[in-house]
Amino acid sequence: MASELRVNTLKDASGNNSIATSFVAGGSAKAWCQFGGGSGTISYDESFNGSSLTDLGVGRYQNNITSAMNTTTYPVLAEAGNEQSDYSAQDDGNDHNSMIGSRTASAQRLFSVDHDDGTQDDCQSMNAVIFGDLA
């Protein structure tokens, strides 16, 4: 038998700090993922609400989520990069910018662009966080 807990406000142990549960639910990430975008087969290193990844070509990926969003205008934060221990080497061909392309209720297109020359390029690490309301 499933249990259900219904509350409007959460409070800390002292009762001094409280927050509405709608704020917690609305402000929480609905999906996130981390994967290596280098050559070869891509797969999640870690994910929440991720169903699969699609490699769309050099520096182009699609993250597919299990539970769809209720619109196609939800916010997505993405980050692309290579593992670097020295941040002083900014023009070494290993730094990347991320871009977010088209999205549907259940998928986002992510792009990795080389910072030095502006071309699409595979990278070692892609990350995305999805916010909004689930369908």
Side-chain angles (χ1 to χ4, degrees), residues 42-56:
I42 59 172
S43 63
Y44 293 118
D45 292 327
E46 297 185 50
S47 71
F48 172 72
N49 194 19
S51 64
S52 65
L53 295 165
T54 305
D55 190 338
L56 301 172

Side-chain angles (χ1 to χ4, degrees), residues 1-118:
M1 176 196 235
S3 298
E4 187 173 304
L5 177 64
R6 295 182 184 204
V7 296
N8 293 324
T9 305
L10 299 174
K11 290 189 176 191
D12 66 11
S14 67
N16 294 326
N17 299 304
S18 65
I19 190 167
T21 54
S22 60
F23 184 81
V24 174
S28 299
K30 302 309 184 285
W32 54 263
C33 67
Q34 193 286 320
F35 61 94
S39 60
T41 303
I42 59 172
S43 63
Y44 293 118
D45 292 327
E46 297 185 50
S47 71
F48 172 72
N49 194 19
S51 64
S52 65
L53 295 165
T54 305
D55 190 338
L56 301 172
V58 175
R60 299 172 49 228
Y61 316 97
Q62 181 170 300
N63 177 44
N64 304 295
I65 58 176
T66 303
S67 297
M69 305 301 288
N70 72 343
T71 70
T72 59
T73 57
Y74 52 88
V76 178
L77 288 116
E79 180 268 333
N82 286 329
E83 306 296 327
Q84 293 186 59
S85 58
D86 182 6
Y87 288 104
S88 65
Q90 291 298 312
D91 292 324
D92 60 1
N94 290 324
D95 43 338
H96 291 79
N97 295 324
S98 59
M99 296 180 0
I100 301 159
S102 63
R103 64 193 90 171
T104 67
S106 59
Q108 311 81 44
R109 297 230 169 149
L110 309 170
F111 302 94
S112 168
V113 179
D114 189 305
H115 177 74
D116 298 328
D117 62 14

